[in-house]
Amino acid sequence: MTGRVPGQGEAGGSGPATAANPAYSVTIRVPRGARADIDAVIAAGPGTITCYADEPDPAGRRITLDADSGPTLTWLLSALRNRLGADLLQTEDPVFVVASTGKLTQSLCASVTTGHDLALLDADADRRVIRHLATHPTHTDLFTGRPRRVALLSDASAVLDFEPLAAEAALPAVESQAVHLHRATGLDVIPMPIAARDAADLGRAIGMLAPGFAATVLVHTHVSHIDAVRAAQRPSATPLLDTVNDGLAVAATAAVLTHLRGRGLRPQSARVAVVDPARGGDLAGLLLAAGIRDLTLYDPLAYGIQPLHRLAAHLDLLVDLIGLASPPEQVPVLRTRPETPPPLASATSGPRPLHALPGLLRAAVRTHRPINAQARLAAVQALVDLTPPGGLLPPVDHPRLTPAVADAAARALAAD
């Protein structure tokens, strides 16, 4: 019996620990003829090092090397300097090059070619539109860019596996999420870290920003802060989504159902346990709504690990939200730790918020309604339907993924 869900790599589907990872890479410029020295360095490496690209360059060659980890990359840089010396013309870190661009940019929709164009963007023109909106507030989405604009917010309280950060330190991660959501939805997603003192402060910021956006999405924000903000939100407020309830919980529920389907188990007869359920937002509620009747919510801090190992023999699946160092071997384990999602390329073997969040976001913007339990459950079923037999989840770049989830959620919202 495997200690993880079949098809899921270690640590939530990240694959072999020795595989090269582009997050630890270096691009170098060297003269022609230096490749033999570079190959010798690669062969002597303490970990996996691969050559991703070797291209012509005015000075000779431009070569990108990927390492398997930070320590291997550090060794690689030192070894290249020692071996090549003056022949190492330049080094750059692609991760920091990408981050330095800001990852997103604005595009201009209005023409500004002629004086006539500029007059349509001047004070007199603005005054006419504002006067109209003041008396016809329901026309705001007709005469502004709000319907395609989404605020992507984080208070930096839960950025990957870091402790709470200063808001500006979270910006690279928020920008990356904005890129993913923009690619999947076509919406203008604006990344905005918020320097909030507490959840109430974050809620006030959301309320102040809401008039300019079709929806707000919380990312890299602690689930307790998300719960507090949602509890204080007015029913008529701009739709608010988050990566836990509208992303990870939906994808994890779909993964549970497809795993059970692959083993020939009906949800109603399956025995499932969720480890550290507080991390999963409404995951437990979604599992129950999806038909799981025998559901154990296990708090390892309260009960320790040994009772979990004794319980495992009576389970069909263990959903691990905390990242157990030694999970029970008697039961398949679905690793779903929010802080360490599987790489995008292998997300078919583990849930990521991007499986569901883009589609639910598009549905919320299209219907002007907040996402509810029925919409999330519809998104779960859409993910299950798109997963091939024997698979756990569809790839996050599946061309039908976002449209299918959006359509299913929109139908559920319309029927509510």
Side-chain angles (χ1 to χ4, degrees):
M1 176 71 71
T2 181
R4 59 183 183 273
V5 171
Q8 187 181 29
E10 296 295 338
S14 60
T18 57
N21 184 343
Y24 304 103
S25 62
V26 60
T27 298
I28 60 175
R29 286 180 170 84
V30 295
R32 296 176 182 85
R35 182 58 193 260
D37 287 320
I38 294 170
D39 288 342
V41 170
I42 293 174
T48 300
I49 301 170
T50 61
C51 179
Y52 171 72
D54 185 347
E55 303 165 320
D57 183 81
R61 308 297 298 177
R62 184 176 186 271
I63 300 174
T64 298
L65 304 173
D66 295 341
D68 61 6
S69 64
T72 301
L73 178 60
T74 299
W75 177 92
L76 174 62
L77 289 169
S78 177
L80 289 170
R81 294 187 183 105
N82 291 337
R83 180 93 181 198
L84 296 172
D87 284 343
L88 187 60
L89 305 178
Q90 182 182 353
T91 65
E92 61 183 19
D93 190 320
V95 165
F96 286 88
V97 171
V98 169
S100 67
T101 66
K103 302 175 186 175
L104 293 169
T105 186
Q106 283 187 316
S107 61
L108 187 62
C109 296
S111 175
V112 291
T113 305
T114 67
H116 192 276
D117 294 334
L118 291 174
L120 297 178
L121 302 175
D122 212 341
D124 287 340
D126 291 341
R127 190 175 290 109
R128 286 190 60 208
V129 179
I130 292 169
R131 185 178 293 116
H132 175 83
L133 295 183
T135 55
H136 301 84
T138 60
H139 291 187
T140 301
D141 286 349
L142 295 175
F143 302 120
T144 69
R146 185 171 69 176
R148 64 174 183 270
R149 193 179 303 129
V150 174
L152 190 67
L153 271 58
S154 172
D155 66 357
S157 58
V159 182
L160 303 175
D161 50 3
F162 292 94
E163 295 295 324
L165 298 167
E168 58 270 22
L171 191 52
V174 182
E175 286 181 341
S176 290
Q177 292 301 304
V179 169
H180 295 315
L181 285 177
H182 171 70
R183 289 183 66 211
T185 65
L187 298 168
D188 295 335
V189 184
I190 314 300
M192 290 188 290
I194 300 295
R197 294 184 297 272
D198 50 33
D201 205 17
L202 177 61
R204 285 189 290 270
I206 291 172
M208 288 187 286
L209 291 169
F213 296 91
T216 300
V217 180
L218 284 172
V219 299
H220 297 303
T221 298
H222 196 278
V223 66
S224 64
H225 295 193
I226 292 171
D227 291 344
V229 169
R230 284 188 174 277
Q233 191 182 33
R234 295 179 290 106
S236 60
T238 299
L240 173 66
L241 295 85
D242 68 83
T243 52
V244 180
N245 295 289
D246 302 301
L248 187 70
V250 176
T253 300
V256 168
L257 295 183
T258 55
H259 170 72
L260 296 176
R261 180 180 67 181
R263 298 186 65 198
L265 293 171
R266 297 172 62 247
Q268 293 81 359
S269 59
R271 298 159 298 178
V272 177
V274 178
V275 180
D276 204 5
R279 291 172 175 261
D282 194 35
L283 173 60
L286 267 179
L287 289 171
L288 290 172
I292 304 295
R293 294 291 173 263
D294 190 340
L295 182 64
T296 300
L297 305 182
Y298 191 88
D299 184 350
L301 297 179
Y303 301 111
I305 296 300
Q306 290 308 314
L308 180 62
H309 282 257
R310 293 194 293 269
L311 176 67
H314 306 285
L315 296 173
D316 296 304
L317 180 63
L318 190 69
V319 181
D320 176 17
L321 288 165
I322 197 172
L324 295 168
S326 300
E329 296 182 356
Q330 309 97 308
V331 59
V333 178
L334 174 65
R335 293 184 180 271
T336 320
R337 187 170 183 263
E339 296 86 351
T340 53
L344 289 166
S346 59
T348 53
S349 60
R352 286 192 67 131
L354 288 169
H355 280 109
L357 182 60
L360 288 172
L361 175 58
R362 188 183 284 182
V365 170
R366 183 194 307 172
T367 63
H368 305 284
R369 294 187 179 187
I371 298 300
N372 57 21
Q374 289 75 23
R376 293 184 186 119
L377 192 60
V380 169
Q381 190 57 51
L383 289 177
V384 172
D385 292 343
L386 281 175
T387 302
L392 198 65
L393 285 163
V396 293
D397 60 353
H398 191 297
R400 291 173 49 220
L401 179 60
T402 297
V405 171
D407 290 345
R411 287 193 298 269
L413 291 172
D416 184 40

